[in-house]
Amino acid sequence: MYNNAATAVAVLGASGYVGRELLGLLDGHPDLALAFATSESESQVEGHQALPLAQAESRWDEARLVFSCLPHGVSAPVVARAAGAGLRVVDLSADLRLSERAVYGLTEVYRDALPDADLVANPGCYPTASVLSVLPFARAGVIDASRPVIIDAASGVSGAGRNPRRDLLFGEVAENFRAYSVGNEHRHLPEITRQISAVAGPVDVVFTPHLLPVHRGILATIHVPLVRELTRQEAEGLLLDAYEGEACIRVMQGQVPTLKDVMHRNRLALGVVPVKHVSHPMITVFGALDKLVKGAAGQAVQNMNVMLGFPETRGLLC
Amino acid sequence: MYNNAATAVAVLGASGYVGRELLGLLDGHPDLALAFATSESESQVEGHQALPLAQAESRWDEARLVFSCLPHGVSAPVVARAAGAGLRVVDLSADLRLSERAVYGLTEVYRDALPDADLVANPGCYPTASVLSVLPFARAGVIDASRPVIIDAASGVSGAGRNPRRDLLFGEVAENFRAYSVGNEHRHLPEITRQISAVAGPVDVVFTPHLLPVHRGILATIHVPLVRELTRQEAEGLLLDAYEGEACIRVMQGQVPTLKDVMHRNRLALGVVPVKHVSHPMITVFGALDKLVKGAAGQAVQNMNVMLGFPETRGLLC
Amino acid sequence: MYNNAATAVAVLGASGYVGRELLGLLDGHPDLALAFATSESESQVEGHQALPLAQAESRWDEARLVFSCLPHGVSAPVVARAAGAGLRVVDLSADLRLSERAVYGLTEVYRDALPDADLVANPGCYPTASVLSVLPFARAGVIDASRPVIIDAASGVSGAGRNPRRDLLFGEVAENFRAYSVGNEHRHLPEITRQISAVAGPVDVVFTPHLLPVHRGILATIHVPLVRELTRQEAEGLLLDAYEGEACIRVMQGQVPTLKDVMHRNRLALGVVPVKHVSHPMITVFGALDKLVKGAAGQAVQNMNVMLGFPETRGLLC
Amino acid sequence: MYNNAATAVAVLGASGYVGRELLGLLDGHPDLALAFATSESESQVEGHQALPLAQAESRWDEARLVFSCLPHGVSAPVVARAAGAGLRVVDLSADLRLSERAVYGLTEVYRDALPDADLVANPGCYPTASVLSVLPFARAGVIDASRPVIIDAASGVSGAGRNPRRDLLFGEVAENFRAYSVGNEHRHLPEITRQISAVAGPVDVVFTPHLLPVHRGILATIHVPLVRELTRQEAEGLLLDAYEGEACIRVMQGQVPTLKDVMHRNRLALGVVPVKHVSHPMITVFGALDKLVKGAAGQAVQNMNVMLGFPETRGLLC
């Protein structure tokens, strides 16, 4: 995939599910060359040589931009050193998502800040699905902030990584379904609440994730309290207006999204329906995405494209 | 499985998933004999001969009790004729669940009415999971009826039956997840609302079912608004008190139930947790069951056991 | 499950998939009481207290028979001590399957030796499926020993146990299929070859196992070279004759078995078909079983029933 | 995806699994434009308008090449009319695979005939996996034609199409595994035998397909009798030599391919191992591919690329 004008990028932590997905996307991107990839556990990843992270430090000058897929807690000091060496950074860990130093890489929301950003915190998969589903209603001023936004989300296993854990064995996950981080204790909650409250003002969010026996997808079912009734057409209209021209967001009309609508694509699919038989107005919004693509590696490439001035969807199937 | 004192029972509509599960349970029940089974599509089911429904009409006198697994709409007139012929009936269809003529067969709630009942409407799988999860809090008077009870439930495919449908093909269900009957339009909603409101008074219920890529289970995630804060211990205590001595209900402490906890058992597993970081008190209750057993055939046997004076869990693995 | 005349049995290594399945079967057996169960990793298994193996040694006198579900290599010395303490033993590990000291517990073949056996080596899941599929043809003298018997078998994950391994993660097993121990290197091969050769004389066996994305089943597809042509009816007739009256073997006529035919049952389902368009006579035999039941815990109970003089299928669904 | 120099192609039968996969690949191909797509059941497929087949007949002049994903039996007369109208054709049905009129589109074997071909019969998924796995050994003259080549292959459900069938329901396929077309009766057998015998001379082939609970992949396990022993290195060397420089074939050394190695790629992954403990030399070859890509739509694009003079892997991820 050599290219005379290719921009050199590096990938840290390439052997997890997200890192592999990212390498695959970069291989298909016509304007990039891979400077190096790192892995502590494997010497070959997706056909590329991988070197230990320690060796990357002497090679910062070979790349212009680095993606970090390192684990939470590990990533922050490494990307600080890479940034110090002059590289632009897209950090896919959670380390910088609540920091003021990094641009929050929800592309459709913070697009204008990306071209000048040296440090971008790529959002979590749950926040990407949740925040983009709710924001159009927050912006339209129709959310009743006196009642909670209730998010029940279900996700495949890929987010939990490839480390051996008994609770992620096939025998435990297949033919099963379970909630986790119950009682509003998931680490993605502050990220979700912060983004929604930035527009809607203070609002309670209840977030309950579940583990699905699938590999890649997320579906968020989001009950949004309203200050007034909306017809289905009106609610869909708010989504359509908010995301008009967005290549990576598909608003479905008269139906709700499924995981099949988004698998292997850098796409968030949205649907909305008013809730009948209740005393106070409410809608249910559904947001589906592939957690490895729009929920992680794909959005990272989308952010990089904007940062580097490439067409936003270059190398991406939306 | 012959037995001198065996009670003769019949099964209508035996070749669907529920009918097969029921035949398997009846085979293992030491006090019963199968008088006959019916199927329109197959002549052999689980090792038993099956006859067309039309032929059952001439054989009502061979059984004392009949289980109907006939489709909704088809069941009501047939069970009326069986009842007219003197048989006691457990109807697993939805036809009689909102009727005053039938006892609602949520065993743990209506146990006292079963010994004298001639007609029992076996509850749906979603209502069984939902109502039994919420009732202890309704009875304790802690539900805030001014806010909705929000139920997001996920279920395997077996409830949809064995008729060929494109949306139930392996290629459509595996690696997928989707909501259906969205916007409070599922036919089980009135059944759920009626049972909860009978105790809690009028209360809004929002019910959104989802289709899981699994065969048998249901998990209901239920957000219950409260009039006052409950600690996890207090909330678990209300469940433990309500279901003390119940063989078919397992209250989990310090954890939440999964489908694996209930597969192939006539068991509802419950867990509860208070929701943090919200302005108004709320708990999330989790109820899991095997939709073919406690959600259908197993609860039907449990009801029959009480109707006929057998030990309640005879022939059941709880 | 108390019973005045109950026979006390113990289970070593109860917290793996096989141990759990065995505890479930013992709970449903009307003539047994559990003396104790051991586990190194969990203190409660399937509702029973579990104690460390070291403590079992002081309690051998509480049981008459012990099931060992300990890992291969660990089991042999422990069951030797249990046997030394006077207990009868069913060893589910591979440790004794090639030993002359133990009766090989393929119930349908070695039934007559079981009542007097103190030490029974319960067969592996692959050998049970393979050997019982081939023996009727070996006994009938129709196998051409100059050509190999070729077994391609596919199995679910439960045989690999519950220890965390990357290759058994949901993300690695789901939507995947792969061979392992290729080139005739699986440790079950000598067990299979020995049993077939005992009847057919020296014969080459080629055995290639595969890992299926399912939990419990095994299907063995077995190509058997013949000395003469057999019609399908003749071939099925040899199976039917061989297994007439066998409660745990179902010979299917005009069709081939699937995993669904045997799930959660102590049953081997068999089918056979002649191979068309070949120059030398050949049949393909198909054997399916649930590896946790007829392939492990169920056959262990079947063996115990014969050892102790109970009806052979007591406590088993066949 | 407009392109000034774009070549116009059409897709017949676009709404099945293969048709959809093909549309997705064509969308990503930089040198093509979609003239039209047809479907009898849907008016929109993958974002493209679909018209009834009858309407295609008046639009043949809009395309230079047509892909037919029509059902077997339906395809032949339609592609004859398209060819009569001057279009070049890639027929993905089985209709022309044994015909002398069409070039058999196993790209790696018949590449030289493609640039001049007007009619290409795209191979079946099983033959692609099987024939390419065996040919290198046939060409090397090491196959012992006096003994059969035995192929046990396992495949996901996508080949069976999207028409509702009970045996393809999730409830029937998940947690299941079964053989079909047993006894050498699968319609792909003549295609496989013809291609192997063209090189190896007359040889018996035994082919037994199985249905896997996965969506896309095929793994063929192929036992090949040899005239002399081969070490693993020698056997792998024959594969490496045969496919040196082939972008769409990956020979694995020291390991065997899995479905995960080929999912969503236009790739055949191969591995080989000698069989130990047998009296006559034998190897087992393993071939894995994604049946929708290298087994169907991807190979069709690969063929088209060669037919039209594009780089062979244009628009394909190998």
Side-chain angles (χ1 to χ4, degrees):
Chain A
M1 197 58 63
Y2 181 77
N3 186 315
N4 273 331
T7 300
V9 299
V11 176
L12 310 181
S15 56
Y17 288 122
V18 170
R20 287 165 186 274
E21 189 78 18
L22 182 57
L23 282 188
L25 291 173
L26 298 179
D27 281 346
H29 194 294
D31 305 310
L32 299 180
L34 185 69
F36 57 85
T38 80
S39 167
E40 305 310 293
S41 61
E42 302 183 30
S43 60
Q44 280 278 329
V45 182
E46 296 287 299
H48 295 278
Q49 201 191 350
L51 47 96
L53 179 57
Q55 294 183 25
E57 307 267 352
S58 63
R59 298 178 59 172
W60 292 133
D61 59 336
E62 297 177 22
R64 278 184 52 197
L65 182 145
V66 64
F67 295 95
S68 171
C69 307
L70 295 171
H72 310 306
V74 175
S75 191
V78 179
V79 303
R81 290 199 295 275
L87 278 78
R88 301 177 78 183
V89 176
V90 178
D91 182 9
L92 288 86
S93 84
D95 286 358
L96 301 169
R97 291 177 192 157
L98 299 176
S99 156
E100 301 293 338
R101 289 183 295 126
V103 170
Y104 188 70
L106 202 56
T107 326
E108 287 77 7
V109 178
Y110 297 98
R111 181 179 285 127
D112 292 349
L114 291 168
D116 297 326
D118 289 322
L119 191 51
V120 171
N122 213 58
C125 47
Y126 284 127
T128 297
S130 304
V131 174
L132 292 175
S133 296
V134 172
L135 276 196
F137 305 100
R139 288 185 187 138
V142 296
I143 297 181
D144 177 358
S146 74
R147 292 182 283 149
V149 172
I150 293 186
I151 306 172
D152 282 314
S155 160
V157 299
S158 59
R162 294 182 70 218
N163 291 322
R165 279 170 42 185
R166 174 174 289 183
D167 64 334
L168 297 179
L169 289 175
F170 182 87
E172 306 297 313
V173 174
E175 288 289 314
N176 204 358
F177 185 62
R178 63 179 172 86
Y180 62 99
S181 301
V182 297
N184 246 3
E185 296 202 335
H186 195 274
R187 67 165 178 234
H188 280 172
L189 177 64
E191 199 179 329
I192 297 170
T193 302
R194 178 180 178 161
Q195 295 296 326
I196 295 176
S197 295
V199 176
V203 58
D204 283 350
V205 174
V206 178
F207 172 61
T208 309
H210 299 70
L211 184 67
L212 274 175
V214 308
H215 191 55
R216 308 174 69 99
I218 281 184
L219 180 71
T221 295
I222 309 176
H223 307 285
V224 180
L226 300 182
V227 293
R228 61 179 171 86
E229 299 276 356
L230 292 177
T231 65
R232 186 162 193 172
Q233 200 174 0
E234 288 168 336
E236 289 175 347
L238 290 178
L239 292 177
L240 288 165
D241 289 350
Y243 296 123
E244 190 183 353
E246 289 293 350
C248 301
I249 299 186
R250 177 167 297 190
V251 178
M252 309 185 80
Q253 294 176 266
Q255 52 184 312
V256 291
T258 75
L259 300 191
K260 290 277 182 197
D261 295 313
V262 297
M263 297 276 280
H264 295 277
R265 292 175 177 272
N266 193 57
R267 175 192 289 174
L268 172 70
L270 296 174
V272 61
V273 65
V275 179
K276 295 182 180 169
H277 315 303
V278 286
S279 315
H280 303 284
M282 178 183 293
I283 50 173
T284 307
V285 192
F286 300 89
L289 56 76
D290 184 320
K291 62 193 297 183
L292 291 179
V293 192
K294 182 61 177 170
Q299 185 153 254
V301 170
Q302 190 182 356
N303 284 326
M304 176 209 68
N305 280 334
V306 181
M307 291 166 77
L308 297 179
F310 299 132
E312 186 172 319
T313 60
R314 184 68 61 90
L316 295 171
L317 177 67
C318 298
Chain B
M1 199 58 64
Y2 182 76
N3 185 315
N4 273 330
T7 299
V9 299
V11 175
L12 310 180
S15 56
Y17 288 121
V18 169
R20 286 165 186 275
E21 188 79 18
L22 181 57
L23 282 188
L25 291 173
L26 298 178
D27 282 345
H29 193 294
D31 306 310
L32 300 179
L34 185 70
F36 58 85
T38 80
S39 167
E40 305 311 292
S41 61
E42 302 183 31
S43 59
Q44 280 279 329
V45 183
E46 296 287 299
H48 295 278
Q49 202 190 349
L51 48 96
L53 178 59
Q55 294 183 26
E57 308 267 349
S58 62
R59 297 178 61 173
W60 293 133
D61 60 336
E62 297 177 22
R64 278 184 51 197
L65 183 145
V66 65
F67 295 94
S68 171
C69 306
L70 295 170
H72 310 306
V74 175
S75 191
V78 179
V79 304
R81 290 199 294 276
L87 278 79
R88 301 176 79 182
V89 175
V90 178
D91 183 9
L92 287 85
S93 84
D95 286 357
L96 300 169
R97 290 177 191 157
L98 299 176
S99 157
E100 302 292 340
R101 288 184 296 126
V103 170
Y104 188 70
L106 201 57
T107 327
E108 286 78 8
V109 178
Y110 296 99
R111 181 180 285 127
D112 292 349
L114 291 169
D116 297 328
D118 289 323
L119 191 52
V120 171
N122 214 57
C125 47
Y126 284 126
T128 298
S130 302
V131 174
L132 292 175
S133 297
V134 173
L135 276 196
F137 304 99
R139 287 186 187 138
V142 296
I143 297 180
D144 177 358
S146 74
R147 293 181 283 148
V149 172
I150 294 186
I151 305 172
D152 283 313
S155 160
V157 299
S158 59
R162 294 182 71 218
N163 291 324
R165 279 170 43 185
R166 174 174 289 185
D167 64 334
L168 298 180
L169 289 175
F170 182 87
E172 305 297 312
V173 175
E175 288 289 313
N176 204 359
F177 186 61
R178 63 178 172 88
Y180 62 99
S181 301
V182 297
N184 247 2
E185 295 203 335
H186 195 274
R187 67 165 178 234
H188 280 171
L189 176 65
E191 199 179 329
I192 296 170
T193 303
R194 178 181 178 160
Q195 295 295 325
I196 295 176
S197 296
V199 175
V203 58
D204 282 350
V205 175
V206 178
F207 172 61
T208 309
H210 299 70
L211 184 68
L212 275 176
V214 307
H215 191 55
R216 310 174 68 100
I218 282 184
L219 180 72
T221 295
I222 309 175
H223 306 285
V224 180
L226 300 182
V227 293
R228 60 179 171 86
E229 299 276 356
L230 291 177
T231 65
R232 186 161 193 173
Q233 199 174 2
E234 287 169 337
E236 290 176 347
L238 290 177
L239 291 177
L240 288 165
D241 290 350
Y243 295 124
E244 190 183 353
E246 288 294 350
C248 301
I249 299 186
R250 177 168 297 190
V251 178
M252 308 185 81
Q253 294 176 267
Q255 52 184 312
V256 292
T258 76
L259 301 191
K260 290 277 180 196
D261 295 314
V262 297
M263 298 275 280
H264 295 277
R265 292 175 177 274
N266 193 58
R267 175 193 288 174
L268 172 69
L270 295 174
V272 61
V273 65
V275 179
K276 294 181 179 170
H277 314 303
V278 286
S279 315
H280 303 283
M282 178 184 295
I283 50 173
T284 307
V285 192
F286 300 89
L289 55 76
D290 183 321
K291 62 193 298 185
L292 293 178
V293 192
K294 182 61 179 170
Q299 185 154 256
V301 170
Q302 189 182 357
N303 284 327
M304 176 209 69
N305 280 334
V306 181
M307 292 167 76
L308 297 178
F310 298 132
E312 185 172 318
T313 60
R314 183 69 61 89
L316 296 170
L317 177 67
C318 297
Chain C
M1 197 60 61
Y2 183 76
N3 183 317
N4 272 331
T7 300
V9 299
V11 175
L12 310 180
S15 55
Y17 288 123
V18 170
R20 287 165 186 275
E21 189 79 16
L22 181 56
L23 282 189
L25 291 172
L26 298 178
D27 282 345
H29 194 294
D31 306 310
L32 300 179
L34 184 72
F36 57 85
T38 80
S39 166
E40 305 310 292
S41 61
E42 301 184 30
S43 59
Q44 280 278 328
V45 183
E46 295 288 299
H48 295 278
Q49 202 190 348
L51 47 95
L53 178 58
Q55 294 183 25
E57 306 268 350
S58 62
R59 298 179 59 173
W60 293 133
D61 59 335
E62 297 177 22
R64 277 185 53 197
L65 183 146
V66 64
F67 295 95
S68 171
C69 306
L70 295 171
H72 310 307
V74 175
S75 191
V78 179
V79 303
R81 290 199 295 275
L87 277 79
R88 300 177 79 183
V89 175
V90 179
D91 182 9
L92 288 87
S93 85
D95 286 356
L96 300 169
R97 290 177 191 156
L98 299 176
S99 157
E100 302 292 338
R101 289 184 295 127
V103 170
Y104 188 69
L106 202 56
T107 325
E108 286 78 8
V109 178
Y110 297 99
R111 180 180 285 127
D112 292 348
L114 291 168
D116 296 327
D118 289 324
L119 192 52
V120 172
N122 213 58
C125 47
Y126 283 126
T128 298
S130 303
V131 174
L132 292 175
S133 296
V134 173
L135 276 196
F137 303 101
R139 288 188 186 135
V142 296
I143 297 181
D144 177 357
S146 73
R147 292 182 283 149
V149 172
I150 293 186
I151 306 172
D152 283 313
S155 160
V157 298
S158 59
R162 295 181 70 217
N163 291 323
R165 279 171 42 186
R166 175 175 289 185
D167 64 334
L168 298 179
L169 289 176
F170 182 88
E172 305 297 313
V173 174
E175 287 290 312
N176 204 359
F177 185 62
R178 62 180 173 88
Y180 62 98
S181 301
V182 296
N184 246 4
E185 295 204 333
H186 195 273
R187 67 165 179 233
H188 280 172
L189 177 64
E191 198 179 330
I192 296 171
T193 303
R194 177 180 179 160
Q195 294 295 325
I196 295 176
S197 296
V199 176
V203 59
D204 283 350
V205 175
V206 179
F207 172 62
T208 308
H210 298 70
L211 184 67
L212 275 176
V214 308
H215 192 55
R216 309 175 67 101
I218 281 183
L219 180 72
T221 295
I222 308 176
H223 306 287
V224 180
L226 299 183
V227 294
R228 60 179 171 85
E229 298 276 356
L230 292 177
T231 65
R232 185 163 194 171
Q233 199 174 1
E234 287 169 337
E236 290 175 347
L238 290 178
L239 291 177
L240 288 165
D241 289 350
Y243 296 124
E244 190 182 353
E246 289 292 351
C248 301
I249 298 186
R250 176 168 297 190
V251 178
M252 309 184 81
Q253 295 176 268
Q255 53 184 312
V256 291
T258 75
L259 301 191
K260 290 278 181 196
D261 295 313
V262 297
M263 298 276 280
H264 294 278
R265 292 175 178 273
N266 192 59
R267 174 192 289 173
L268 172 69
L270 296 174
V272 61
V273 65
V275 179
K276 295 182 179 168
H277 316 303
V278 287
S279 315
H280 303 284
M282 179 184 294
I283 49 173
T284 306
V285 193
F286 299 89
L289 56 75
D290 184 320
K291 62 192 299 182
L292 292 178
V293 192
K294 182 62 178 169
Q299 185 154 253
V301 170
Q302 190 182 356
N303 284 327
M304 176 209 67
N305 280 334
V306 182
M307 292 167 77
L308 297 179
F310 299 132
E312 186 172 317
T313 60
R314 183 68 61 89
L316 295 170
L317 177 68
C318 297
Chain D
M1 197 59 62
Y2 182 77
N3 186 317
N4 273 330
T7 300
V9 299
V11 176
L12 311 181
S15 57
Y17 288 123
V18 169
R20 287 165 186 275
E21 189 78 17
L22 181 57
L23 282 189
L25 291 172
L26 298 179
D27 282 344
H29 194 294
D31 306 311
L32 300 179
L34 184 71
F36 56 86
T38 80
S39 166
E40 305 310 293
S41 60
E42 301 183 31
S43 59
Q44 280 279 328
V45 183
E46 295 288 300
H48 295 278
Q49 202 190 348
L51 47 96
L53 178 58
Q55 294 183 25
E57 307 267 351
S58 62
R59 299 178 59 173
W60 293 132
D61 60 335
E62 297 177 22
R64 279 185 51 199
L65 183 146
V66 65
F67 295 94
S68 171
C69 307
L70 294 171
H72 310 305
V74 174
S75 190
V78 179
V79 303
R81 291 199 294 275
L87 279 78
R88 301 177 78 184
V89 176
V90 179
D91 182 9
L92 288 86
S93 85
D95 285 358
L96 301 169
R97 291 177 192 158
L98 299 176
S99 158
E100 303 291 338
R101 289 184 294 128
V103 171
Y104 188 69
L106 202 55
T107 326
E108 286 78 8
V109 179
Y110 297 100
R111 181 180 286 126
D112 292 349
L114 291 169
D116 297 327
D118 289 323
L119 192 51
V120 172
N122 213 58
C125 47
Y126 284 126
T128 298
S130 303
V131 174
L132 292 176
S133 296
V134 172
L135 275 195
F137 303 100
R139 289 186 187 137
V142 296
I143 297 182
D144 177 358
S146 74
R147 293 181 283 149
V149 172
I150 293 186
I151 305 172
D152 283 313
S155 160
V157 298
S158 58
R162 294 182 72 218
N163 291 323
R165 280 170 42 186
R166 175 175 289 186
D167 64 335
L168 297 179
L169 289 176
F170 182 88
E172 305 297 312
V173 174
E175 288 289 313
N176 204 359
F177 185 62
R178 62 180 173 86
Y180 62 98
S181 301
V182 296
N184 246 2
E185 297 203 333
H186 195 275
R187 67 164 179 234
H188 280 172
L189 177 64
E191 197 178 330
I192 296 170
T193 303
R194 177 181 181 160
Q195 295 296 325
I196 295 176
S197 296
V199 176
V203 59
D204 283 350
V205 175
V206 179
F207 172 61
T208 308
H210 299 71
L211 184 67
L212 275 176
V214 308
H215 191 57
R216 308 175 69 101
I218 281 184
L219 179 73
T221 295
I222 310 176
H223 306 286
V224 180
L226 299 183
V227 294
R228 61 178 171 88
E229 299 276 357
L230 292 177
T231 64
R232 185 162 194 173
Q233 200 174 359
E234 288 169 337
E236 289 175 348
L238 290 177
L239 292 177
L240 288 165
D241 289 350
Y243 295 124
E244 190 182 352
E246 289 293 351
C248 301
I249 299 186
R250 177 167 297 191
V251 178
M252 308 183 81
Q253 294 176 267
Q255 53 184 311
V256 291
T258 75
L259 301 191
K260 290 277 181 196
D261 295 314
V262 297
M263 298 276 280
H264 296 277
R265 292 175 177 273
N266 192 57
R267 174 192 289 174
L268 172 69
L270 295 173
V272 60
V273 66
V275 178
K276 295 181 180 169
H277 315 304
V278 286
S279 315
H280 303 284
M282 178 184 293
I283 50 173
T284 306
V285 192
F286 300 89
L289 56 74
D290 184 320
K291 63 193 298 183
L292 292 178
V293 193
K294 181 62 177 168
Q299 185 154 252
V301 170
Q302 190 182 357
N303 284 327
M304 176 209 68
N305 280 335
V306 182
M307 292 167 76
L308 298 179
F310 298 132
E312 186 172 318
T313 60
R314 184 70 60 91
L316 296 170
L317 176 68
C318 298

